Every structure is written in structure tokens, then in C-alpha cells.
Amino acid sequence: QIFPDLVTYNTLISACGKGKQWGKCLELYGEMRSSKCVPDRITFNSLITACEKSGQREEAYGIFVEMKEREVDPDEVTFGALISACEVDGKWELAEKTLEEMKLSGIVPGTVTYTALIHVCG
């Protein structure tokens, strides 16, 4: 019998996220954890991006908290998706706080990050 591995789960989560099926992404993530498959940065970025694309800001930030609890280091993709997630309900203060956390983490924001911040504030 064949069981999904990390790459398989990450691919499925990413595909569902692109289809704005954030609930299915979380379901797959639950299956992944149950199977003792350890999530990585790609897993968390895919989950956060799926929530961001579906307007689920609170869910995205909840996943970010879990990412940090599991000691998985975020990157610019992580922070960019979190900042973009703030656009739905105009949470510009949270977006700015996220940008500061990004900088404190030693990650240099790029054009995409600043563009996302402008969209939140605009």
C-alpha cells in the first residue's frame, strides 16, 4: 500500500489552495499530522497562502502561530501572504506589525512585500 509523503501532501495542499479550497487544505493538513508526516516551510506557506487567497486572515495568522510553535522558520513568502491577508478587512496596523516582525526576523522585505502593504493601506 502506498501512503502520501511530505511532497505529496504539500502538492495537494498547494493545489487546493490555488482553487481557494482553504477548508480542504486544513483537512489535508490534519491528515498529514495524523500520519506523522512532519510539515515544513512549504507546507505552512501553502496553508497560509490558501487562507490569504480565501480571505481567511485569522486562520492564516493562526497557522503562522503554529508554524512558530513548531520552530519552522518563516520566509518572505510567509510574511507576504500574511500582509496580503490583512487587505480583506483593512487591518493595516496588523500588516505593519507583521512587516516589523519580518524585519526583526532578519528577512529583508522586497517589492512584493511592500506592494502588498500598499494594497492593505490603500
Side-chain angles (χ1 to χ4, degrees):
Q1 191 172 9
I2 299 173
F3 296 100
D5 62 4
L6 177 64
V7 174
T8 305
Y9 278 116
N10 284 346
T11 302
L12 289 168
I13 290 168
S14 178
C16 289
K18 288 177 183 174
K20 296 186 179 179
Q21 298 293 319
W22 68 276
K24 184 64 177 172
C25 292
L26 296 180
E27 184 182 316
L28 286 164
Y29 179 58
E31 288 178 25
M32 181 182 188
R33 289 185 307 187
S34 294
S35 72
K36 307 289 189 238
C37 193
V38 179
D40 63 4
R41 181 184 299 147
I42 294 169
T43 310
F44 285 109
N45 282 349
S46 296
L47 289 166
I48 291 168
T49 300
C51 291
E52 174 256 321
K53 298 280 184 219
S54 300
Q56 302 297 319
R57 178 188 46 79
E58 290 182 15
E59 196 69 49
Y61 274 86
I63 293 165
F64 181 56
V65 168
E66 183 174 346
M67 181 181 193
K68 292 190 293 185
E69 287 171 351
R70 290 179 170 267
E71 299 179 352
V72 176
D73 293 329
D75 60 10
E76 187 176 7
V77 173
T78 313
F79 286 107
L82 289 168
I83 290 169
S84 290
C86 295
E87 184 177 355
V88 173
D89 50 4
K91 296 287 187 182
W92 62 270
E93 292 168 326
L94 179 58
E96 286 182 348
K97 180 181 171 192
T98 303
L99 180 67
E100 289 308 311
E101 184 174 349
M102 178 182 187
K103 291 176 182 177
L104 290 172
S105 297
I107 300 167
V108 178
T111 306
V112 174
T113 304
Y114 284 116
T115 301
L117 186 62
I118 289 167
H119 284 285
V120 173
C121 296

